[in-house]
Amino acid sequence: RARLLDGADPLAGIQTRVWGRWCNFEIGDYPSDATGLVTSGDMKEAEYRMTLRQPGIWPAEHVVRATKSGEPAALQVRRLGGVRIAARNPLGDPLPGATVELVSLEFQQSVADWIAGGLVASPVQGLRTDAQGELVLSGRPNGAYRARLRHGDAQATLDVSVPAKGVASVPVTLK
């Protein structure tokens, strides 16, 4: 048994797949209920792998231990969101071509690494602002990120919060 949470919010209707811990034997597919609880029937006390691959959810794999008490393991699962970064100079003019480095503080991984690993798609212009000085990134796990922007000698570093199922608008002035 496991309870799927995004922060403190239970996640209902999430499809999970349960596997034997040390082999590729699939035990079954189980959805989470209204309280985020995933129940996979009568399983012997052991460790199992639980994978989550579903639109709107960051792909994840967890090791879950089935116990005699049946107490569910709390598993953190991230819904997807996005961010729109608008880079401006001190006069308020757009800064096209500013480079953007975005690092998930929770996962300690950069969005560039996720793009290189095929986890997320790259924007058409890469991790640079477009002609309007904007970069829109969608399909990212919600949570806290650190953003570093550079344009020539101008730069800015700030913390950004990507909301679940939404897009945060973040204006940034590079100095």
Side-chain angles (χ1 to χ4, degrees):
R1 294 170 33 120
R3 187 168 315 278
L4 305 182
L5 303 167
D6 187 350
D9 299 333
L11 296 179
I14 305 299
Q15 283 299 125
T16 66
R17 182 164 287 166
V18 178
W19 305 80
R21 170 72 166 107
W22 304 108
C23 64
N24 282 329
F25 178 74
E26 181 181 338
I27 295 168
D29 294 330
Y30 306 95
S32 60
D33 68 12
T35 67
L37 186 65
V38 176
T39 305
S40 53
D42 188 27
M43 298 174 73
K44 71 177 190 168
E45 191 167 333
E47 287 186 339
Y48 299 89
R49 286 185 302 131
M50 181 180 286
T51 58
L52 297 93
R53 305 272 188 272
Q54 175 174 327
I57 299 294
W58 187 246
E61 182 173 304
H62 298 276
V63 174
V64 178
R65 178 144 189 85
T67 62
K68 288 181 183 180
S69 72
E71 192 65 30
L75 303 180
Q76 287 296 319
V77 177
R78 295 291 171 251
R79 290 172 286 184
L80 301 181
V83 62
R84 176 186 308 273
I85 297 172
R88 303 288 184 253
N89 67 19
L91 299 175
D93 300 322
L95 290 174
T99 60
V100 179
E101 178 186 335
L102 198 62
V103 175
S104 166
L105 298 179
E106 176 182 356
F107 296 107
Q108 293 296 305
Q109 295 176 329
S110 72
V111 170
D113 289 344
W114 292 340
I115 290 170
L119 285 172
V120 295
S122 175
V124 173
Q125 75 275 15
L127 292 175
R128 294 183 172 276
T129 57
D130 63 16
Q132 291 75 41
E134 295 187 352
L135 175 65
V136 178
L137 298 168
S138 57
R140 300 329 188 239
N142 74 75
Y145 290 78
R146 176 136 314 124
R148 289 185 184 89
L149 288 82
R150 289 184 179 83
H151 188 270
D153 291 335
Q155 59 184 351
T157 300
L158 67 152
D159 288 343
V160 174
S161 181
V162 172
K165 302 190 322 184
V167 177
S169 292
V170 180
V172 182
T173 301
L174 281 72
K175 298 178 183 179

